[in-house]
Amino acid sequence: TECMSFSYAGTWALVTGAGVPGRIGAAIAERLARAGANVYLHDVKETEAMKSVVAAVANTGVSVRPCYGDLTKPADVQKLFESFETPPDVVINNAGVFRAAAVSDGMPLGEYLAAHERAIDINVAVNMKSALLVTEAAVFLLKKTHKSGVIVFEGDAFLERSGSYPRNLAAYAASKMYIPSVVHQLAEQHGRQGIRFLGVLNGTIAPPATAPQATIDHMQHEIPLPAHLLQPWLGAASVADAIVNLIQMEAVNGTTLTVDGGRTWTTKEEL
C-alpha cells in the first residue's frame, strides 16, 4: 500500500510573520523552499531583517515574493490575496504576539481594566483574528480556483499541556487555545473539497536574550531528547521540519500535533 504524499514541487506557500531571521517563520519558509515550494514571505512592513530572510530563501533556488500588510484588517488581507498571481497552496499562520497586560499594584480600577483591554485587543487581533481572516481568504480563493490546499495554525504546546504563564498573560493564553477546535471544525467543513487544516503547537524553541542560564538548563533538562538535538532547546528548524513533514501526509486532516520534544515539567509554571 502506498502512502499518500503531498508534493511541494511547483506550489506556492504563504508564511505570515516571517520577517525576522532565526525565528520560526523564517525557518519554516526556508524549509518549505528546500522542499521545493515557492514562497510568499509576509510581514507587516518592509525591513532590513525581512530583506535578509528573502535573500536566504531565494538562495535555495525557488521563487520568492515578499508581501506586506496588517492582517488584522480585512482590507489589507483582501489586498494581499488579490495581489497573488497564483493563490497559495499552503498557508502557514505564523504571525503572532506574546503580550502581557501592563498592570501594576495600586492602579485605579479604570486604568487596570484599560490595560487588560489593550492586552486582550492586541493578542486576540494578531493571534486569532488575523489567522482566521487569512484562512477564510485562502479558502475562498482555493474554492474559486478549484484547488486543494493545506492551512496550518501555530499554537503553544505549553498551554495545551496545562502550563501556566505568569505576568498577566491570560489574554495571550485565550488567543492561542482556540486552535485544536477550530482546526477540527474547518476540516469538517472544507475537507471534502480537498482543503486540509492542521494545528502545530510549538514547544520551547529558543531562549529569550534575557533568560538566565539556570532557566535555560532547567528547561533543557525537561526535554527528553539527546543533547545533540537541542540548541539548547528544540530550535526553530526542528519545528519547521515537523510542519513541512506533517503537511506531506495527505490523509492527515483536522489534527493538531504537539512538537515539544516530549517535554515534561517539574513545575507547571514557566520560570
Side-chain angles (χ1 to χ4, degrees):
T1 302
E2 289 190 14
C3 177
M4 294 182 291
S5 179
F6 176 90
S7 172
Y8 287 102
T11 63
W12 278 90
L14 167 65
V15 184
T16 67
V20 181
R23 300 290 293 273
I24 182 66
I28 294 169
E30 290 188 44
R31 182 64 181 83
L32 285 165
R34 291 201 307 273
N38 304 303
V39 183
Y40 295 119
L41 281 169
H42 163 269
D43 210 344
V44 176
K45 60 183 179 181
E46 185 177 19
T47 63
E48 290 302 314
M50 177 62 147
K51 291 178 183 178
S52 177
V53 177
V54 170
V57 176
N59 281 340
T60 65
V62 302
S63 297
V64 182
R65 180 186 157 188
C67 50
Y68 306 100
D70 182 348
L71 301 181
T72 69
K73 298 178 179 178
D76 280 23
V77 175
Q78 178 183 351
K79 183 178 179 180
L80 177 69
F81 276 81
E82 289 180 344
S83 73
F84 296 148
E85 292 184 10
T86 302
D89 307 272
V90 174
V91 173
I92 311 293
N93 285 304
N94 170 75
V97 296
F98 185 81
R99 195 70 56 84
V103 297
S104 60
D105 294 338
M107 266 184 154
L109 178 58
E111 292 180 19
Y112 180 83
L113 292 176
H116 277 287
E117 181 183 36
R118 287 191 292 272
I120 292 167
D121 288 347
I122 186 64
N123 282 287
V124 171
V126 177
N127 296 339
M128 182 167 66
K129 179 182 176 182
S130 69
L132 293 174
L133 287 174
V134 166
T135 294
E136 294 299 347
V139 168
F140 180 91
L141 286 185
L142 287 169
K143 287 190 170 183
K144 184 178 180 179
T145 54
H146 306 287
K147 293 178 66 178
S148 59
V150 185
I151 299 173
V152 177
F153 291 77
E154 284 185 61
D156 188 322
F158 182 65
L159 294 171
E160 186 67 17
R161 301 282 200 187
S162 300
S164 175
Y165 283 113
R167 298 183 292 113
N168 300 296
L169 282 159
Y172 166 77
S175 72
K176 286 291 190 178
M177 290 297 289
Y178 75 97
I179 289 173
S181 60
V182 166
V183 163
H184 182 76
Q185 181 168 328
L186 289 169
E188 173 63 28
Q189 184 176 352
H190 303 294
R192 292 172 184 82
Q193 288 77 48
I195 306 174
R196 294 187 291 130
F197 300 84
L198 305 169
V200 175
L201 308 182
N202 303 334
T204 48
I205 293 174
T210 57
Q213 190 61 45
T215 297
I216 295 172
D217 294 343
H218 173 83
M219 291 189 186
Q220 184 180 47
H221 179 73
E222 292 181 339
I223 303 172
L225 289 174
H228 72 276
L229 295 179
L230 301 176
Q231 313 169 29
W233 298 343
L234 290 178
S238 295
V239 178
D241 279 344
I243 290 173
V244 170
N245 289 324
L246 181 64
I247 289 170
Q248 289 184 295
M249 301 176 185
E250 289 193 317
V252 179
N253 188 24
T255 295
T256 297
L257 174 70
T258 298
V259 184
D260 64 356
R263 181 185 172 194
T264 54
W265 293 277
T266 55
T267 173
K268 284 293 183 181
E269 182 174 290
E270 286 289 37
L271 302 179

